[in-house]
C-alpha cells in the first residue's frame, strides 16, 4: 500500500516540477533532447502550454488516485 502513495507523490512532484519549468521558461528544460522535438514542431510558446497541461494532468492524476484509495 505504501507503494501507491509513493507513486502518487511522484506524479504530483513531477507535475509540479513541469509546471514550474513552464512558468519560469527554463532554457535547460526546453533545450533538452526530448523537448526539442516538440519545441521545433510547434514553437516554444505552444510547447510551454503543452507541458503545462501535461503537468496539470499529472498533478490531477496523483490527486485522483489518492482520493480513490481513501474511499476504499
Amino acid at each position: 500500500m505504501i507503494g501507491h502513495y509513493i507513486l502518487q507523490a511522484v506524479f504530483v512532484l513531477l507535475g509540479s516540477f513541469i509546471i514550474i519549468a513552464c512558468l519560469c521558461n527554463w532554457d535547460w528544460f526546453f533545450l533538452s533532447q526530448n523537448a526539442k522535438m516538440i519545441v521545433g514542431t510547434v514553437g516554444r510558446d505552444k510547447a510551454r502550454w503543452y507541458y503545462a497541461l501535461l503537468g496539470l494532468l499529472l498533478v490531477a492524476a496523483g490527486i485522483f488516485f489518492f482520493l480513490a484509495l481513501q474511499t476504499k
Side-chain angles (χ1 to χ4, degrees), residues 4 6 12 23 34-35 37-38 40 43 47 49 55 60 68 72:
H4 295 299
I6 292 172
V12 171
L23 292 175
N34 294 332
M37 183 183 75
I38 295 173
W49 282 104
K72 287 187 177 183

Side-chain angles (χ1 to χ4, degrees), residues 5 64-72:
Y5 292 119
F64 173 77
F65 292 130
F66 176 77
L67 294 176
L69 281 177
Q70 298 302 313
T71 59
K72 287 187 177 183

Side-chain angles (χ1 to χ4, degrees), residues 29-47:
F29 184 84
F30 289 103
L31 295 177
S32 68
Q33 192 65 28
N34 294 332
K36 276 186 181 179
M37 183 183 75
I38 295 173
V39 172
T41 304
V42 298
R44 183 135 179 185
D45 288 335
K46 288 183 182 176

Side-chain angles (χ1 to χ4, degrees), residues 3-55:
H4 295 299
Y5 292 119
I6 292 172
L7 187 59
Q8 294 159 9
V10 168
F11 270 54
V12 171
L13 291 173
L14 186 60
S16 300
F17 176 76
I18 292 172
I19 292 169
I20 292 169
C22 292
L23 292 175
C24 295
N25 198 16
W26 288 336
D27 281 334
W28 64 269
F29 184 84
F30 289 103
L31 295 177
S32 68
Q33 192 65 28
N34 294 332
K36 276 186 181 179
M37 183 183 75
I38 295 173
V39 172
T41 304
V42 298
R44 183 135 179 185
D45 288 335
K46 288 183 182 176
R48 287 177 67 195
W49 282 104
Y50 170 78
Y51 277 109
L53 179 63
L54 179 66

